[in-house]
Amino acid sequence: MARGERAVLVVPERVGEGGLRSLDARMEEAAGLAAAIGVDVVARQSFRLRQIRPASLLGKGQADEIATLAEGNDATLLIVDASLTPVQQKTLEELTSCKVIDRTGLILEIFGERAATAEGRLQVELAHLDYQAGRLVRSWTHLERQRGGFGFLGGPGETQIEADRRMIRDRMARIRRELGQVKRTRGLHRGRRQKAPWPVIALVGYTNAGKSTLFNRMTQASVMAEDLLFATLDPTMRQVKIPGFDKAILSDTVGFVSNLPTELVAAFRATLEEVASADLILHVRDIAHPDSDAQAADVEEVLTSLGLDEDDSPPRLEVWNKLDLLDQDRREALLAEAARKEVVAVSALTGEGMDRLREAIAAELHSGAHTHHIQLDSADGNRAAWLHARGDVLDQRTEGDQLHLAVKLSPENWARFQRL
């Protein structure tokens, strides 16, 4: 897929399936995904489908309409905002004389272009191979004429396809082994962080919700932050100042999107596990977006798939971002609503509300804290320093060679202290 390639965007809508998003919002998001890899959407078309055609998704008349639209706009690519089967993709290419890519393929293309680290590239390659494994027959249709003998299953074409499938399976197995090693290494690093005297705060949210801008604002970092879907993929960690803590670690993660391909969720599971091990999750929402509620539901769905809806999952704080995009009346109404719902409204771009956010983070990290009476050897300076850095030391006295402390600690920090 070449940058600047001209494309027709098609958004199919099943009759009777409304959903949380409007057709216009789906169209805009799909066009944004295309723009993220430099594809020029020159025409857009939506279709209401009474039934899904197993062979082509769309009807013959709709396919002819797309072909005419593509020819009139010199477009060579058709983007379908839906998941296509290999047969549907192949049939649509034949009917429209265009190269066809579905929503899953488009997101995979973006991830393939953006992955910057070795781990990210491995994760994307694994997802690509998983996606392509079922589509190999498209690459070998010219061999189907060579099939002969009894029955219809044999022939050189099938042999070539099976050879390619075997190579893909072997490559996927190697990548999984490499990612397994990365996961173990990440687990060791995570274990060391959990023993360290500072909390970890993970940012999650829909793509383009402003997570990286918020990350930069809080940490004075320079992570790429643009008005672009999936501007950043690889997780980044930086030190951040939170009231009552010597320091904390803020982690920026990949943005989510509706209908995120299952191949990507599986491939990026090791990265997303960083969220599960955090002390606090900040769910950043673009509150100025007309589909903010639908986007929040999509994020919650991915978090649930990671097991983060359980009782022992990290606490969450919702952050309503992009206050600067609202008019005065909407701002006032939203700030009042945020106060009632115990969420924090901010503008990462202008810095508005950042003090409120830091205080809310500190309150969440200290919530559920209990006072523990701890006895240490006076020479155990490391653990004493850990308690001073991570907890609220209410009382401290020395009796002989023993140090007695009354320390208020969160449940997570108490568990960590016991592992020291």
Side-chain angles (χ1 to χ4, degrees), residues 102 106 155 378 401:
D102 66 356
L106 186 60
S378 297
D401 59 354

Side-chain angles (χ1 to χ4, degrees), residues 63-329:
D64 290 342
E65 188 177 336
I66 293 169
T68 302
L69 194 61
E71 186 178 358
N73 287 276
D74 296 323
T76 57
L77 177 66
L78 170 61
I79 300 172
V80 181
D81 188 46
S83 293
L84 297 175
T85 66
V87 171
Q88 289 170 340
Q89 190 172 354
K90 178 176 179 291
T91 304
L92 282 175
E93 287 184 344
E94 293 171 348
L95 292 175
T96 63
S97 300
C98 289
K99 181 168 56 178
V100 175
I101 186 169
D102 66 356
R103 182 181 179 86
T104 299
L106 186 60
I107 293 174
L108 287 172
E109 288 282 339
I110 298 170
F111 274 58
E113 185 173 287
R114 298 285 169 74
T117 64
E119 180 188 2
R121 287 192 291 271
L122 284 172
Q123 289 168 325
V124 171
E125 185 181 353
L126 179 61
H128 263 290
L129 290 171
D130 191 17
Y131 177 70
Q132 289 295 340
R135 287 168 159 72
L136 277 177
V137 66
R138 295 177 59 248
S139 304
W140 297 100
T141 50
H142 64 286
L143 295 174
E144 291 177 349
R145 294 189 297 273
Q146 300 176 22
R147 293 176 185 164
F150 296 103
F152 58 91
L153 294 177
E158 292 285 24
T159 303
Q160 182 62 66
I161 291 169
E162 283 306 312
D164 275 22
R165 283 183 178 150
R166 185 167 56 254
M167 284 191 293
I168 284 181
R169 285 195 299 267
D170 291 346
R171 177 61 183 155
M172 289 175 71
R174 285 197 298 273
I175 291 174
R176 286 194 177 103
R177 285 196 295 271
E178 290 182 55
L179 284 174
Q181 181 59 48
V182 170
K183 183 176 180 178
R184 285 189 291 275
T185 303
R186 188 184 289 279
L188 291 173
H189 291 167
R190 189 183 303 130
R192 282 199 292 269
R193 283 200 307 274
Q194 287 177 340
K195 289 182 179 179
W198 46 77
V200 177
I201 304 151
L203 296 175
V204 301
Y206 205 79
T207 183
N208 215 27
K211 295 187 309 302
S212 294
T213 304
L214 181 63
F215 183 86
N216 289 341
R217 172 69 64 175
M218 293 185 70
T219 64
Q220 311 303 314
S222 56
V223 172
M224 178 184 176
E226 293 186 16
D227 184 14
L228 194 67
L229 298 181
F230 297 118
T232 52
L233 292 186
D234 297 295
T236 310
M237 293 190 176
R238 294 286 188 278
Q239 181 177 326
V240 63
K241 290 187 179 298
I242 300 297
F245 295 87
D246 279 358
K247 69 175 179 178
I249 301 297
L250 189 64
S251 172
D252 188 16
T253 59
V254 62
F256 302 153
V257 71
S258 64
N259 301 318
L260 190 67
T262 54
E263 296 93 343
L264 275 175
V265 174
F268 277 77
R269 183 168 291 274
T271 302
L272 294 172
E273 282 174 0
E274 290 290 337
V275 178
S277 67
D279 294 279
L280 176 66
I281 297 173
L282 298 187
H283 178 181
V284 183
R285 291 177 54 181
D286 177 358
I287 204 63
H289 198 284
D291 286 318
S292 183
D293 289 341
Q295 292 179 351
D298 289 325
V299 172
E300 290 296 333
E301 184 178 340
V302 176
L303 293 177
T304 298
S305 74
L306 295 171
L308 291 175
D309 59 340
E310 299 168 1
D311 292 339
D312 59 348
S313 61
R316 291 185 214 172
L317 176 63
E318 204 165 280
V319 182
W320 291 355
N321 190 26
K322 304 194 181 182
L323 275 179
D324 53 290
L325 298 182
L326 302 175
D327 60 44
Q328 189 61 33
D329 291 342

Side-chain angles (χ1 to χ4, degrees), residues 319-378:
V319 182
W320 291 355
N321 190 26
K322 304 194 181 182
L323 275 179
D324 53 290
L325 298 182
L326 302 175
D327 60 44
Q328 189 61 33
D329 291 342
R330 179 74 180 110
R331 274 172 52 87
E332 291 176 0
L334 188 137
L335 287 170
E337 184 181 358
R340 287 196 306 274
K341 292 186 174 181
E342 296 184 348
V343 302
V344 183
V346 303
S347 169
L349 191 64
T350 67
E352 180 183 358
M354 298 310 298
D355 288 340
R356 288 197 304 270
L357 177 58
R358 292 177 192 277
E359 290 167 4
I361 291 172
E364 284 289 342
L365 291 173
H366 283 300
S367 66
H370 295 285
T371 300
H372 298 273
H373 295 276
I374 300 167
Q375 182 175 309
L376 300 174
D377 289 335
S378 297

